[in-house]
Amino acid sequence: MPKPNFNKYLRYDELTDLIAAYAKEYPELVKMESIGKSYEGREIWLLKVTNYKTGNDAEKPAIWIDANIHAMEVCTSAVGMYFVDTVTKQYGKNEEITRALDTRAFYIVPRLNPDGAELILADHPKNVRSSTRPYPYDEE
């Protein structure tokens, strides 16, 4: 697994690769799935984090963590991924984290707004508050 770098904000492809790396490295703790697509067609990734050996995520009390709702809130994406990094690496070492993952499920969406974040993180950034979807909306 690549060593995550929390000293920079990740572009969409880098974030997707990192999410996939956690799911591959910790298959007993992390599952990755798309909960939909953005206006521009990017997957919106969900990480389901729990100890699957002690039960399915849907059968446990859960905590929802979402991040990067607004385009410029890219720091929250890093916080969401830092949380995933901490609980996966400390599972089995830290008693409270181990108990939490054994008895709870955590749903983490590190970037709800991938289109807006890409504009902010582009080589030539464009500052937008929300997404790239036209407003007022051009559909019914």
Side-chain angles (χ1 to χ4, degrees):
M1 177 170 162
K3 181 174 171 44
N5 180 356
F6 296 107
N7 293 328
K8 71 174 205 155
Y9 300 125
L10 302 177
R11 300 283 300 263
Y12 178 79
D13 290 338
E14 295 171 301
L15 180 62
T16 297
D17 290 346
L18 184 60
I19 292 167
Y22 280 101
K24 183 178 180 184
E25 183 74 16
Y26 301 98
E28 70 286 354
L29 298 176
V30 179
K31 296 196 183 309
M32 169 188 183
E33 71 179 56
S34 173
I35 59 170
K37 290 192 182 235
S38 69
Y39 178 75
E40 293 183 2
R42 293 179 178 91
E43 301 290 345
I44 299 171
W45 297 115
L46 167 71
L47 291 100
K48 299 191 293 187
V49 182
T50 190
N51 179 2
Y52 284 93
K53 292 179 182 176
T54 61
N56 191 329
D57 61 279
E59 299 166 357
K60 297 177 182 179
I63 297 169
W64 178 271
I65 300 169
D66 55 40
N68 208 166
I69 297 169
H70 297 109
M72 297 180 76
E73 296 171 350
V74 291
C75 64
T76 61
S77 256
V79 172
M81 292 310 298
Y82 188 80
F83 175 84
V84 173
D85 187 67
T86 300
V87 298
T88 54
K89 290 181 178 172
Q90 290 299 311
Y91 182 82
K93 299 173 187 171
N94 178 296
E95 183 179 323
E96 291 179 357
I97 289 173
T98 301
R99 183 169 29 97
L101 294 187
D102 285 348
T103 62
R104 304 286 186 269
F106 295 85
Y107 298 106
I108 300 103
V109 179
R111 184 163 288 158
L112 275 170
N113 186 353
D115 300 341
E118 281 301 289
L119 282 179
I120 296 298
L121 297 171
D123 293 336
H124 302 287
K126 179 178 179 187
N127 292 330
V128 294
R129 181 177 186 274
S130 293
S131 186
T132 58
R133 184 177 182 185
Y135 183 84
Y137 307 128
D138 58 357
E139 70 263 9
E140 293 181 18

